[in-house]
Amino acid sequence: LTVTTNTGTETVEARNVVLARGRSGNWYTPDALKQQVPADRLFHTSDPAIDDLDVAGKNVVVVGVGASGLDNAEMAAKRGANVVALARRTQDDAAHRPNFFGWIASNIGMLKHFGDMSNEDRYRFMLEFQIDGEPAPLDTYQRALDLGTKFETGRIDRIENADASSGAALGVHLHDGRVLPADYVIAATGNVTVEGLTGDEALADIAPHVQLWRDEFKPNFTVEEAVAQAQPYL
């Protein structure tokens, strides 16, 4: 392999290459939010500018109730904001989702036998991590509640300038007709994994030679599963 880094180029011989690439770090904010919320009122949970945001007395809507969402809901509430955490399905998304990542961390030995599982079992196992993500610890959820965070469930229909009587800059309209007042919207919407190797410029030359899940296993997959299909087959 020819490897080029910031220190130069060298040739490396190897029987096996391990790609310990982790997550892509491509933080994801839905296009609908970017198109409808002014840039100075929209922040992703990964944005360091949140640390300097003056939210005292303001209305903050956090879209998403995973770990980063409730961390930011808690901090905004501590600073005096009126916080609403918006879940896609139910409030239980925040309170009772199993933490598969924590389970793996405390049972790391099971990974030794991951390869003994069938394709279908390994694939389903992988999807649990991809779709459910990292939930907030229960004590974070409880602190957010204690600080006055309100939990709402629903899908966003549109975001518009708010009626002056609401006292907020924006109105987050949900599909059922409810409107959440918002001065700031925080997107706790995670990140997007690079689709297989094709989205990684550093690996573009070897990508055509790597066997992917879609080459080996073809379930009737949903949109969420499409990213898993593009991952290397291990």
Side-chain angles (χ1 to χ4, degrees):
L1 298 175
T2 301
V3 180
T4 301
T5 69
N6 59 349
T7 60
T9 299
E10 61 179 315
T11 299
V12 178
E13 295 183 356
R15 293 182 182 276
N16 299 287
V17 177
V18 178
L19 302 177
R21 302 161 62 238
R23 291 184 177 237
S24 68
N26 295 331
W27 302 109
Y28 170 68
T29 300
D31 288 340
L33 292 183
K34 291 188 288 187
Q35 292 165 2
Q36 299 180 67
V37 182
D40 61 345
R41 296 188 180 277
L42 175 64
F43 299 86
H44 190 277
T45 53
S46 64
D47 191 338
I50 289 180
D51 294 339
D52 300 319
L53 201 59
D54 182 8
V55 295
K58 302 294 186 180
N59 297 288
V60 175
V61 173
V62 180
V63 180
V65 293
S68 67
L70 291 197
D71 277 344
N72 279 270
E74 178 188 351
M75 293 308 297
K78 281 183 176 179
R79 295 175 180 175
N82 304 307
V83 182
V84 172
L86 182 62
R88 284 181 299 175
R89 296 180 289 269
T90 69
Q91 184 170 338
D92 285 350
D93 286 353
H96 302 301
R97 268 197 303 147
N99 187 346
F100 292 104
F101 291 91
W103 181 81
I104 281 291
S106 59
N107 295 276
I108 198 69
M110 62 77 58
L111 292 177
K112 177 179 180 181
H113 299 287
F114 185 70
D116 298 335
M117 297 162 62
S118 67
N119 273 349
E120 182 173 355
D121 286 343
R122 276 185 292 157
Y123 192 77
R124 291 183 180 277
F125 192 91
M126 196 165 57
L127 288 180
E128 290 293 340
F129 290 91
Q130 179 182 307
I131 295 173
D132 281 340
E134 179 84 14
L138 191 56
D139 58 343
T140 303
Y141 167 75
Q142 190 60 55
R143 287 196 302 269
L145 273 181
D146 293 343
L147 289 164
T149 298
K150 296 179 181 179
F151 286 84
E152 297 286 353
T153 303
R155 293 174 53 208
I156 295 175
D157 181 61
R158 67 189 187 280
I159 300 175
E160 299 177 344
N161 291 332
D163 185 281
S165 63
S166 73
L170 302 169
V172 179
H173 294 252
L174 305 182
H175 272 274
D176 60 6
R178 287 174 294 152
V179 181
L180 307 177
D183 294 296
Y184 297 104
V185 175
I186 296 178
T189 45
N191 66 356
V192 177
T193 303
V194 170
E195 185 163 323
L197 305 178
T198 57
D200 193 326
E201 183 178 351
L203 302 174
D205 288 345
I206 67 170
H209 307 289
V210 177
Q211 186 178 22
L212 305 179
W213 267 93
R214 62 174 167 237
D215 300 325
E216 186 67 24
F217 184 69
K218 294 180 172 60
N220 294 320
F221 59 87
T222 63
V223 173
E224 290 90 347
E225 292 172 322
V227 173
Q229 282 276 298
Q231 299 306 307
Y233 175 75
L234 300 174

